[in-house]
């Protein structure tokens, strides 16, 4: 959190320019294409990275489908996740975000700039409506989307929590490629103490195409994507970070086994 406040403080003099410009461009889609607005969003991310001494490295860019109209599903570690993915993903993508978290300054403008969607998590009817919109936009407009199927984050860090099957319905109905995305050490950006350099990773994993998952239920798709992302994180951690994650996973497995025995 200290780094987050530090970044905001050092960029506060830019705020009176950046925030109105983000709002101005977001409100004029006829004048600024999605590609132009996406490029501006990436520029804003670069300003934050430079000030906060943040480096993000991308892997597996060759796995991204050549044609637009796919959905990326990522694990969720903190406030920086979407920023890091957008920075590494060249083509425009819109984000699906919890409505309650989407009205903070900068976040609100960022979401609007990318034509993103806000989900009211407790409102099932609104969720269904938004998912139908996303399905139509993927199918008819070939839009790309980024979804965090854990539904939020706490202090899970590099451990992936359960993916919600319902978040995969839009991709399934649109018959769109599903791209698992593993973010590694993204939590460190705004949660670690101090202001030393921090590096995060974004791994774009091989996609699941419709022919591969068409006979699977959404919960099965969710479990498959979750497992692939968790394995990718394990494969790309070293030292203390790897040890911590292995201990977390061992504790979770022991807890699940205990619960099974007690049934």
């Amino acid at each position: 959190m200290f780094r987050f406040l530090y970044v905001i403080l050092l960029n506060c003099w830019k705020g009176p320019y950046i925030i109105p410009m983000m709002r101005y461009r977001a409100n004029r889609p006829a004048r600024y294409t999605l590609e132009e607005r996406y490029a501006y969003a990436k520029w804003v991310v670069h300003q934050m990275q430079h000030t906060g001494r943040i480096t993000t490295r991308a892997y597996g860019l060759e796995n991204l489908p050549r044609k637009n109209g796919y959905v990326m599903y990522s694990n969720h570690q903190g406030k920086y996740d979407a920023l890091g993915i957008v920075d590494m993903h060249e083509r425009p993508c819109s984000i699906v975000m919890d409505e309650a978290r989407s009205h903070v300054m900068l976040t609100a403008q960022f979401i609007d700039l990318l034509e993103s969607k806000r989900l009211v998590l407790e409102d099932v009817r609104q969720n269904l409506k938004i998912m139908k919109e996303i399905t139509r936009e993927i199918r008819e407009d070939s839009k790309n989307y980024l979804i965090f199927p854990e539904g939020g984050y706490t202090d899970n860090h590099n451990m992936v929590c359960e993916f919600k099957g319902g978040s995969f319905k839009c991709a399934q109905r649109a018959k769109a490629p599903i791209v698992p995305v593993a973010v590694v050490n993204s939590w460190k950006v705004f949660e670690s103490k101090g202001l030393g350099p921090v590096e995060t990773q974004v791994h774009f994993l091989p996609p699941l195409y419709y022919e591969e998952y068409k006979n699977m239920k959404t919960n099965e798709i969710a479990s498959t994507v979750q497992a692939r992302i968790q394995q990718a994180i394990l494969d790309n951690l070293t030292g203390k970070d790897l040890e911590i994650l292995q201990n977390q996973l061992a504790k979770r497995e022991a807890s699940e086994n205990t619960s099974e025995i007690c049934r």
Side-chain angles (χ1 to χ4, degrees):
M1 183 59 69
F2 182 67
R3 189 189 303 270
F4 179 73
L5 297 175
Y6 178 80
V7 169
I8 295 298
L9 180 63
L10 263 66
N11 286 284
C12 65
W13 65 275
K14 298 179 183 178
Y17 168 77
I18 290 177
I19 293 174
M21 283 302 296
M22 293 176 74
R23 187 179 296 115
Y24 181 85
R25 294 174 186 228
N27 292 338
R28 290 164 177 80
R31 182 171 180 178
Y32 297 96
T33 65
L34 182 57
E35 287 77 12
E36 290 172 328
R37 283 175 277 141
Y38 192 75
Y40 191 74
K42 288 167 71 73
W43 178 82
V44 173
V45 174
H46 293 162
Q47 304 308 301
M48 297 178 62
Q49 290 172 329
H50 177 72
T51 305
R53 305 180 71 189
I54 305 161
T55 301
T56 298
R57 303 193 186 281
Y59 303 88
L61 289 168
E62 70 280 0
N63 290 323
L64 291 170
R66 293 184 179 181
K67 294 183 179 180
N68 290 330
Y70 53 85
V71 187
M72 295 179 286
Y73 289 90
S74 173
N75 59 308
H76 210 357
Q77 298 187 2
K79 295 180 178 68
Y80 182 74
D81 299 342
L83 303 181
I85 293 171
V86 165
D87 181 41
M88 295 293 102
H89 188 265
E90 288 301 318
R91 285 174 275 173
C93 70
S94 300
I95 303 166
V96 180
M97 186 175 185
D98 177 6
E99 193 272 344
R101 295 175 182 259
S102 69
H103 297 290
V104 180
M105 188 177 296
L106 275 180
T107 300
Q109 290 75 33
F110 194 83
I111 290 296
D112 292 338
L113 200 62
L114 302 185
E115 296 182 358
S116 299
K117 303 291 186 183
R118 292 175 167 88
L119 281 180
V120 181
L121 299 183
E122 311 80 26
D123 189 336
V124 176
R125 183 174 296 179
Q126 190 263 1
N127 284 202
L128 292 173
K129 176 177 177 291
I130 293 298
M131 284 298 171
K132 285 182 180 179
E133 290 179 6
I134 294 171
T135 300
R136 178 182 55 78
E137 291 175 7
I138 295 169
R139 184 188 296 147
E140 298 179 8
D141 303 329
S142 296
K143 287 188 68 175
N144 304 319
Y145 268 92
L146 168 62
I147 297 177
F148 296 97
E150 287 166 290
Y153 58 86
T154 51
D155 58 351
N156 51 299
H157 296 174
N158 285 305
M159 184 170 69
V160 183
C161 297
E162 183 179 3
F163 280 10
K164 294 176 172 57
S167 61
F168 290 83
K169 287 183 178 179
C170 57
Q172 188 182 50
R173 289 170 179 168
K175 300 181 179 180
I178 291 172
V179 182
V181 180
V183 292
V184 179
N185 284 336
S186 187
W187 66 272
K188 291 185 176 183
V189 173
F190 293 136
E191 290 188 40
S192 59
K193 297 179 181 179
L195 293 172
V198 60
E199 181 177 307
T200 76
Q201 303 171 26
V202 175
H203 295 263
F204 299 99
L205 307 183
L208 285 78
Y209 288 96
Y210 181 68
E211 289 301 316
E212 182 179 351
Y213 70 78
K214 66 179 181 180
N215 294 322
M216 298 169 66
K217 296 180 180 179
T218 52
N219 286 340
E220 293 175 315
I221 300 171
S223 296
T224 298
V225 174
Q226 178 184 337
R228 293 186 184 185
I229 290 174
Q230 187 67 88
Q231 188 59 53
I233 295 172
L234 274 167
D235 292 342
N236 289 281
L237 283 178
T238 58
K240 187 176 181 180
D241 291 325
L242 177 59
E243 183 181 345
I244 290 172
L245 177 58
Q246 288 173 330
N247 289 336
Q248 288 176 317
L249 292 173
K251 288 179 181 178
R252 182 164 69 181
E253 184 178 357
S255 175
E256 290 173 351
N257 290 339
T258 301
S259 298
E260 187 67 33
I261 291 171
C262 293
R263 288 176 185 173

